[in-house]
Amino acid sequence: MKYFILLQAFLVCATSGQVPTLLENVEFPGNDIEMILAPDAECCQIYCTVHFRCTFFTFILENRGIPSFFCLLKYTDNGFPSRSVTSPNVVSGFRLATVDPNKHSCFTKTYKDIDFLGSDIMYLLRETLTECQDSCTDSPDCQFFTYYTEQYNAVPKARKMCFHKFATKLPSPPVINILDNVVSGFSPRDCDDSTCDSTCPEYLIPNFDFNGEDFDLVLAPDAENCQLICSNHPHCQYFTFFTEEWTADDRKFFCYLKRSDPRTSSLVLVQNVISGFSLRRFGIKKRCSDHIFKGLNFLGNDRGVVKADSDQQCKQLCKDDPLCQFFTFVDGDFSNIAQRNDCHMKSMTALPKPPLIRYVKDVVSEFSRIP
């Protein structure tokens, strides 16, 4: 009975928009939509908050006696767990009403004896943790880092090594299809400080495919957006995009990110593909796409649906929502009258997520401090 009253109070707090307290030793079984890794329950809550679908979560501190960093994101239509149980070594909670993830305390913590394993983009020798942190903050590609202190004994030559890491790409719609009377696009927030406008050379090569050397595959509505994703990924050097006119198989809108010297990759003449290079190799900075894509539907990942008078108003609504990354607008000629003027605001979990986390003595990990 005591637990039930506590849970009721928690639900009232969560739905009223206040910052709810985390529930220790409480598990919400089932209703899972995604499992990611988080360094603590507080960060798990932030990941749930920015996720387009998550409404509550359970963070597992320990699994069968082994330390765990499992963050189980969960969803139900009414926003509440189907059931809850008392369980040791877990923490549960609900998404926050509002949050600025870049300023949230879990992204300014120092995680001692925790290694954010993998996703390295470079490593440097730095005398102190502060110097390592400063170097990560000064690097536009560094999202989090791990520093091996001078006490680290497992591999002595790794002492004072500062490993910069990157794990998050620009937003890429999970599904793109062709649909009359809809318009899609991306939030133009990052365009405000872009140094590359519409006159920027694109260095695109039509009807040629850089065959091989792929390290990732995403979806993009056009070749310029594929190039933008490549240009903002520290590993990507060049790419090949399969256009809307591609009909040989189901790879329409596929954007293949590639690395290593393109001279080692075979350049093949292929109709209805476009290849190109990362803009960063030409010293060009471009962080956003403010194009409108008529007749393309970005399907899924809805944060919410609101009415709008035009695609431009829908675009502005997405820009004004700090968690909206892309959108689809249904215009006034759409066949389903009830859906006309719907503005679907969409997002993905774009916060940096370490792919592996483990306990390692005498190492320190942190996220990059946003100035």
Side-chain angles (χ1 to χ4, degrees), residues 14-33:
T15 56
S16 67
Q18 300 176 23
V19 177
T21 303
L22 299 172
L23 291 175
E24 296 184 3
N25 300 322
V26 173
E27 179 180 0
F28 297 151
N31 308 124
D32 295 0
I33 55 172

Side-chain angles (χ1 to χ4, degrees), residues 233-246:
H233 195 297
H235 292 315
C236 186
Q237 296 174 303
Y238 54 111
F239 65 92
T240 293
F241 173 73
F242 285 67
T243 70
E244 185 177 332
E245 290 73 30
W246 177 264

Side-chain angles (χ1 to χ4, degrees), residues 121 201 340:
I121 55 174
R340 291 176 181 175

Side-chain angles (χ1 to χ4, degrees), residues 63 95 109 116 169 305 318 341 364 368:
N63 183 27
R95 69 181 298 159
K109 283 183 181 178
F116 291 166
K169 300 182 290 289
V305 182
C318 184
N341 297 104
V364 178
S368 173

